Amino acid sequence: MLPVPVRRERGPAPAAAVGVRPPSRPRAELRRGSVRSAASCGATVPRSVCERAVHQERDACNRTNTPDDSEGNESEEKADEDSEREEEWDTDLEIEETKEPFDPTGRTRYIAACQLYRVVPISYFLRHMKDSELIMKHHGLGTQGAKALSLSLMTNTSIVKLNLSDNWLDGEGAAAVAEMLKENCYISGNEFDDHAAKYLSDALPANNKMESLDLSHNMLGDTSGEVLGMAIAENAGLKELNISWNYFRSQGAAALARGFEANMFLRVLDLSYNGFSNNGAAALGEALKVNNVLEELNISNNRISLEGALRFAVGLKENQTLKRLNMARNPMQSEGCFGILKSIQANSGAVVEILDFSDIPVNKDFADLCDAVKMLLPNFQIRYGGNATLHKKDQPKVEIQSWFSVEGDS
């Protein structure tokens, strides 16, 4: 005969069985890139984002399965726990009210920026923030990723060379990178090529707040010159532009010159260490005839020979705003320097104050002309030949010596 099961009455559950998470139990970590992960690194996160994360966790806690007979006690304990948790989260996340130490890598800013722009932090970037060269090719940054990266690099003091090739930056992303380069004085090379120039050209006409842009030490060539030239012509905010140490040759140089000719805001322009050659110099001369804003121009080391210098001088003869001109280390010889100086002498409205012909050998005729120009322009200073100092009006005349080797002399 089988035993008959006996039904037993269930008494109240012991206190230990109540489904309330004890306050001492560690909270589960949120996913990577969440508000918690950003706050743990000391990042500044928008208040609304923080509050939303707090409420989400609180709602998850409220859905825990608890016995009905302990509902009253549990509600009181849960309210106390939520209050303590809210105070704890407020203490952790109100970073804006505290002064944080300077972060030379930009790590905390990057994590906060990723949270703000809703992108996943790139682990490669986090690992190489302290390197002198950062190669970020083919990482698919996109517009939002470029913005987050740019915010971080504004305060980074380690990286001096940056490669962002093939990252689909688009116009807004390229504009963010350009803004970063205005603030960061350490990065000097990004390996921007003709492909990147398209995105930069899309951003320049739309951005009227940026006043200085440094694109030096890159790989921009003639194609870049054509698209950037049109963008520079339409930009209404840029006052300083540095595109030295690139690959602009005759065709790209001419396109850039047309852009400078139409720009009515640019004050300082550095085109040094390119390959403008004679055609580029002639195009710049034509631009100087029309442009009445540019005050400083550097076209040193641009393969400009005597022909290019004389063609450039034609435009300089009509310009009335240029104050500083650097044409050092060009193969223009003494005759080229003489032609430039002669155009300044013939220009009744010339305001040139500093003229640099460093590392260009000159003869006595040029030195005599220097003295004559100094009489016309009291503030005029000039550097020429192998001299390291600027020659002013009150300095004694420099003797130009020529050395000849005569056959048969001992």
Side-chain angles (χ1 to χ4, degrees), residues 57-71:
E57 182 170 342
R58 185 183 303 165
D59 292 340
C61 293
N62 290 338
R63 289 194 294 269
T64 56
N65 187 18
T66 58
D68 296 338
D69 53 356
S70 59
E71 182 177 359

Side-chain angles (χ1 to χ4, degrees), residues 65-128:
N65 187 18
T66 58
D68 296 338
D69 53 356
S70 59
E71 182 177 359
N73 294 335
E74 179 191 356
S75 298
E76 295 178 0
E77 294 177 6
K78 186 182 301 180
D80 294 338
E81 184 182 53
D82 288 344
S83 178
E84 293 176 2
R85 183 180 299 110
E86 184 174 1
E87 293 178 5
E88 181 181 359
W89 278 92
D90 287 343
T91 302
D92 288 341
L93 294 177
E94 290 178 354
I95 307 300
E96 296 89 344
E97 300 177 1
T98 63
K99 292 184 178 180
E100 300 177 12
F102 176 71
D103 179 12
T105 64
R107 181 185 183 88
T108 55
R109 175 177 281 201
Y110 178 61
I111 295 175
C114 287
Q115 176 66 24
L116 178 64
Y117 292 114
R118 301 179 182 275
V119 295
V120 178
I122 299 177
S123 59
Y124 178 86
F125 178 48
L126 292 171
R127 292 196 307 269
H128 295 275

Side-chain angles (χ1 to χ4, degrees), residues 306 309-319 325 327 332-350 352 355 357 365-374 376-377 380 382:
L306 171 59
L310 296 180
R311 294 171 68 182
F312 176 82
V314 174
L316 185 62
K317 186 178 180 180
E318 300 181 23
N319 183 272
L325 175 60
M327 299 187 71
M332 49 199 289
Q333 307 174 25
S334 181
E335 290 81 0
C337 297
F338 187 92
I340 296 292
L341 197 57
K342 194 70 176 177
S343 68
I344 295 176
Q345 183 188 39
N347 185 351
S348 59
V352 177
L355 183 59
F357 289 143
D365 290 339
F366 174 82
D368 291 339
L369 182 59
C370 283
D371 292 337
V373 173
K374 291 172 188 175
L376 294 174
L377 303 174
F380 184 71
I382 186 169

